[in-house]
């Protein structure tokens, strides 16, 4: 192999390092326990990772613009509690709303998504119109949303009791599946996550909003000069991200069959980490949907796979930390090389 071909291979692997890491992780765990490659294991990892993927895609919108969003986890918690509180079975002893009639299952789901969208809209207005740095703006809303959620959760007659007894027609979207026969099944929540990812891919790559998003993240001043309405695009992007967090919160309640005000705690950091590991640049302007999906799956494999082969949770945290630092260092190195 000549030197030029070697450089091409090196560049190809560098551009797809995230997928190489994912494959190596799977191979390493499979060597330790070949049963890890069973279809049921893959299905379980994908089911557990589905809501995380939706959250990470929402975070990717913000990161690509050069911002960050610390409120996503608390939006997940708020929308999980709101949707769950409206979808308990009629005979549940500790029903959140004792006199609430039997609602169409889609209504609370829509309410959860709209609540997330409204929070994102507020974030976007604070960032775009008040020019508050995204880190501070979303830190403020993160704290405020948790307080608001806790007040709602503590309402009479619930008084901060975990919300349970959710209706089967709701929980099936998180734990139900399509039976393919022969012992193979596909969870509904995985299908929902894939559809959301495909829609995000179209937005990222085939729409004016997607092109503007990358332009703003690449150079906001150049975006202004080229005629892009930066404020309007940022508000829309934050609103879309909020709607995705809302959907994730609803699906998380359906998946787990309940909700508390602590749902979503630290999910924002997991989402940002998955995006960064998946190649979304911390400097803005760079990121892909397949990369984000790979980042989410890497952490899914770490959480599920290393537990599967008996690795201590403390070692899992160390491995996750090393992967995050290495990914950021690699990203910064690429960014500096372009300057």
């Amino acid at each position: 192999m000549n030197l030029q071909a070697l450089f091409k291979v090196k560049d190809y692997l560098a551009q797809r390092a995230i997928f190489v890491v994912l494959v190596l992780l799977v191979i390493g765990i499979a060597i330790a326990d070949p049963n890890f490659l069973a279809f049921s294991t893959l299905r379980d990892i994908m089911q557990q990772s589905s809501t995380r993927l939706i959250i990470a895609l929402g975070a990717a919108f913000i990161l690509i613009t050069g911002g960050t969003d610390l409120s996503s986890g608390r939006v997940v918690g708020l929308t999980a509690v709101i949707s769950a509180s409206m979808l308990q079975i009629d005979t549940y002893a500790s029903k959140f709303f004792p006199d609430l009639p039997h609602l169409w299952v889609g209504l609370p789901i829509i309410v959860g998504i709209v609540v997330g969208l409204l929070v994102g809209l507020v974030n976007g207005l604070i960032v775009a119109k008040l020019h508050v740095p995204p880190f501070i703006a979303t830190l403020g809303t993160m704290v405020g949303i948790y307080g608001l959620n806790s007040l709602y959760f503590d309402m009479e007659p619930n008084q901060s009791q975990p919300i349970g007894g959710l209706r089967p027609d709701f929980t099936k979207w998180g734990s139900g599946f399509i039976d393919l026969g022969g012992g193979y099944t596909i969870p509904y929540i995985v299908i929902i996550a894939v559809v959301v990812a495909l829609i995000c891919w179209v937005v990222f790559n085939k729409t004016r909003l997607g092109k503007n998003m990358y332009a703003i993240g690449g150079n906001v001043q150049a975006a202004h000069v080229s005629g892009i309405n930066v404020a309007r695009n940022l508000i829309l992007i934050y609103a879309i991200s909020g709607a995705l967090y809302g959907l994730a919160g609803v699906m998380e309640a359906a998946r787990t069959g309940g909700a508390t005000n602590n749902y979503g705690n630290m999910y924002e950091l997991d989402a940002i980490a998955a995006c960064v590991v998946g190649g979304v640049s911390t400097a803005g302007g760079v990121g892909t949907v397949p990369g984000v999906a790979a980042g989410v799956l890497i952490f899914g494999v770490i959480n599920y796979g290393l537990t599967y082969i008996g690795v201590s949770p403390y070692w899992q945290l160390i491995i996750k930390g090393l992967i995050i630092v290495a990914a950021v260092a690699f990203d910064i190195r690429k960014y500096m090389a372009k300057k």
Side-chain angles (χ1 to χ4, degrees):
M1 182 180 292
N2 59 40
L3 193 60
Q4 185 178 5
L6 186 63
F7 278 124
K8 284 184 178 180
V9 171
K10 182 180 177 182
D11 183 63
Y12 181 86
L13 292 176
Q15 295 298 323
R16 292 159 180 81
I18 183 66
F19 300 103
V20 174
V21 171
L22 179 58
V23 170
L24 291 176
L25 268 175
V26 172
I27 291 173
I29 296 171
I31 290 173
D33 189 341
N35 292 326
F36 181 73
L37 294 177
F39 177 82
S40 59
T41 303
L42 175 62
R43 180 196 60 210
D44 291 344
I45 291 174
M46 293 180 66
Q47 185 169 8
Q48 292 182 14
S49 300
S50 293
T51 53
R52 303 300 181 112
L53 174 58
I54 297 171
I55 301 166
L57 289 169
F61 274 93
I62 309 300
L63 289 168
I64 290 172
T65 65
T68 190
D69 191 347
L70 298 180
S71 69
S72 58
R74 292 308 182 184
V75 175
V76 168
L78 175 63
T79 55
V81 166
I82 289 174
S83 58
S85 69
M86 300 169 69
L87 286 167
Q88 292 175 291
I89 58 175
D90 297 332
T91 56
Y92 191 67
S94 303
K95 195 174 179 184
F96 197 98
F97 294 114
D99 300 322
L100 188 70
H102 190 89
L103 300 174
W104 170 55
V105 68
L107 179 60
I109 294 173
I110 294 171
V111 168
I113 294 171
V114 171
V115 168
L117 185 148
L118 291 175
V119 173
L121 189 62
V122 170
N123 282 335
L125 288 169
I126 294 171
V127 171
K129 296 298 185 181
L130 300 182
H131 304 291
V132 177
F135 182 90
I136 301 300
T138 58
L139 176 63
T141 52
M142 176 187 76
V143 175
I145 290 166
Y146 180 60
L148 181 64
N149 192 17
S150 297
L151 286 172
Y152 182 87
F153 190 63
D154 195 41
M155 285 170 51
E156 294 281 356
N158 192 64
Q159 294 186 310
S160 297
Q161 298 180 63
I163 301 172
L166 302 190
R167 286 164 35 185
D169 59 342
F170 174 57
T171 57
K172 76 173 184 180
W173 295 108
S175 57
F177 52 84
I178 297 174
D179 191 348
L180 302 177
Y184 295 100
T185 59
I186 299 179
Y188 291 124
I189 196 170
V190 172
I191 297 173
I192 292 169
V194 170
V195 170
V196 170
L198 289 173
I199 293 171
C200 288
W201 184 89
V202 171
V203 174
F204 279 31
N205 297 281
K206 302 296 182 180
T207 67
R208 179 175 296 178
L209 177 65
K211 292 179 174 61
N212 292 347
M213 177 177 69
Y214 284 104
I216 292 169
N219 189 322
V220 67
Q221 298 302 325
H224 272 296
V225 171
S226 64
I228 294 174
N229 189 325
V230 173
R232 184 173 63 190
N233 278 274
L234 283 176
I235 292 169
L236 181 56
I237 288 167
Y238 274 89
I240 292 172
S241 295
L244 290 174
Y245 305 149
L247 174 62
V250 172
M251 289 298 104
E252 189 70 355
R255 185 181 71 85
T256 60
T260 74
N261 62 328
N262 286 317
Y263 264 41
N265 185 33
M266 303 297 286
Y267 279 23
E268 66 278 357
L269 298 185
D270 287 345
I272 293 170
C275 287
V276 171
V277 168
V280 179
S281 176
T282 54
V286 177
T288 66
V289 170
V292 173
V296 171
L297 284 175
I298 278 183
F299 286 116
V301 169
I302 290 173
N303 292 334
Y304 190 98
L306 296 187
T307 301
Y308 189 86
I309 60 175
V311 175
S312 165
Y314 305 122
W315 276 109
Q316 293 179 35
L317 292 173
I318 292 171
I319 293 169
K320 287 172 70 174
L322 290 173
I323 289 175
I324 292 168
V325 172
V328 174
F330 185 70
D331 173 61
I332 291 174
R333 187 175 178 182
K334 288 195 298 183
Y335 176 72
M336 295 300 293
K338 292 178 181 179
K339 295 187 71 174

